[in-house]
Amino acid sequence: MVKNCDKCAQLNRTDDQFCIRCGNLLTSESSLIESFSSGVLELGRLSDRYSILKTIKSGGMGKVFMGIDKNLSKICAIKELLERFTIDQKEQENPVEMFEREAKLLASLNHPNLPRVYDYFIVKDKYYLVMDYIVGEDLLTIMDENNKDGFPEEEVVEWALQLCDVLSHLHNRQPPIIYRDLKPGNIMLKKVDNTLILIDFGIAKPTLDKKSSSLVDYITPGYSSPEQCAGKECDARSDI
């Protein structure tokens, strides 16, 4: 059995609690929160507008939560940024101003292979970005769980074309944005249409920002470029 989302008309299963395309709640907020209250997951309110349902991902740059946007009645992804702003405080840049500048930069991006960032806020010295929730799996998980022998060449070529398109979009902005963390774990495959979404802009930087262009502490062995591993300045070639 299926049911239509009343916001985007996407067909969803009758037991789906939110739309797989737009994140619209298909059930009541209270029943959704109850379904995540298993004792394993820690629920919490970040503000009058946002509540956390569960932790999606945790890493060196912070955490990503599944949350509820009460104003829009939809599921969202909430990224908590920590370490980066501690580092930049030592460089004596106002961390609040830096965060607001970069949040607005990300919110200005508009591309089908990027999540939409539509809000940001600060709570108790922690910095949060709010973006569209992507229903799907990252390529690393898909590789580990479902595919021991690799993927069909035609599928990989299509993925590469999508990634080249979104990197071109970033690199051709003024100033260019260098993503600097391209790896399977940061590439989501959307369940609804198998589109790739480039996620986790934790260390993406405009090239005009020279002070923290290397961030050598956040390299990924096997994926980071040689110049990034060496702590040197990155440019668009580093992503490619």
Side-chain angles (χ1 to χ4, degrees):
M1 297 292 291
V2 295
K3 58 184 175 182
N4 289 85
C5 172
D6 60 7
K7 286 191 176 180
C8 72
Q10 170 67 37
L11 289 177
N12 296 271
R13 297 177 306 181
T14 53
D15 58 346
D16 284 340
Q17 296 175 310
F18 55 91
C19 178
I20 60 174
R21 178 181 293 276
C22 71
N24 177 44
L25 291 182
L26 303 175
T27 183
S28 69
E29 179 185 322
S30 58
S31 62
L32 182 61
I33 291 177
E34 183 179 355
S35 70
F36 284 96
S37 301
S38 61
V40 177
L41 303 172
E42 182 178 348
L43 303 175
R45 287 181 59 186
L46 287 176
S47 67
D48 290 338
R49 178 169 179 174
Y50 300 107
S51 291
I52 292 175
L53 291 176
K54 68 174 182 177
T55 301
I56 301 173
K57 187 177 181 180
S58 183
M61 297 302 296
K63 298 179 180 179
V64 180
F65 304 103
M66 174 195 279
I68 297 177
D69 182 338
K70 298 179 181 179
N71 284 8
L72 298 178
S73 297
K74 64 178 288 184
I75 296 295
C76 60
I78 303 172
K79 183 170 180 61
E80 178 185 82
L81 300 165
L82 297 175
E83 295 293 335
R84 175 180 188 177
F85 298 102
T86 302
I87 291 172
D88 284 330
Q89 276 183 313
K90 295 176 182 178
E91 296 174 349
Q92 297 184 358
E93 179 176 1
N94 185 316
V96 175
E97 291 181 0
M98 186 189 75
F99 172 69
E100 290 181 343
R101 183 178 69 245
E102 296 188 11
K104 291 176 181 177
L105 177 69
L106 294 178
S108 71
L109 298 176
N110 182 18
H111 191 278
N113 298 106
L114 293 174
R116 182 175 62 99
V117 175
Y118 65 89
D119 196 9
Y120 66 91
F121 56 93
I122 302 171
V123 175
K124 296 181 180 179
D125 296 325
K126 294 182 180 179
Y127 302 79
Y128 296 92
L129 291 173
V130 183
M131 61 196 75
D132 290 335
Y133 181 76
I134 307 301
V135 182
E137 296 282 358
D138 64 76
L139 291 188
L140 181 61
T141 299
I142 295 174
M143 290 165 57
D144 289 344
E145 295 181 353
N146 304 319
N147 199 75
K148 296 181 180 179
D149 301 319
F151 297 97
E153 180 180 345
E154 295 80 5
E155 191 170 28
V156 175
V157 168
E158 173 58 30
W159 290 347
L161 290 173
Q162 291 186 48
L163 290 174
C164 287
D165 188 64
V166 69
L167 288 177
S168 176
H169 175 75
L170 296 174
H171 295 164
N172 282 288
R173 288 185 61 89
Q174 295 300 324
I177 297 174
I178 312 305
Y179 180 71
R180 303 193 311 162
D181 201 20
L182 193 62
K183 57 187 178 183
N186 283 345
I187 303 169
M188 295 283 293
L189 188 63
K190 287 178 68 175
K191 179 180 178 180
V192 65
D193 58 8
N194 289 326
T195 299
L196 289 188
I197 302 294
L198 191 60
I199 62 171
D200 201 346
F201 277 73
I203 61 175
K205 298 288 288 185
T207 53
L208 290 184
D209 191 338
K210 303 296 185 183
K211 293 197 299 182
S212 54
S213 58
S214 60
L215 279 177
V216 69
D217 291 339
Y218 298 106
I219 64 171
T220 303
Y223 292 101
S224 296
S225 63
E227 60 271 21
Q228 189 173 352
C229 293
K232 298 180 180 179
E233 186 176 319
C234 299
D235 60 26
R237 294 169 295 180
S238 306
D239 285 341
I240 297 170

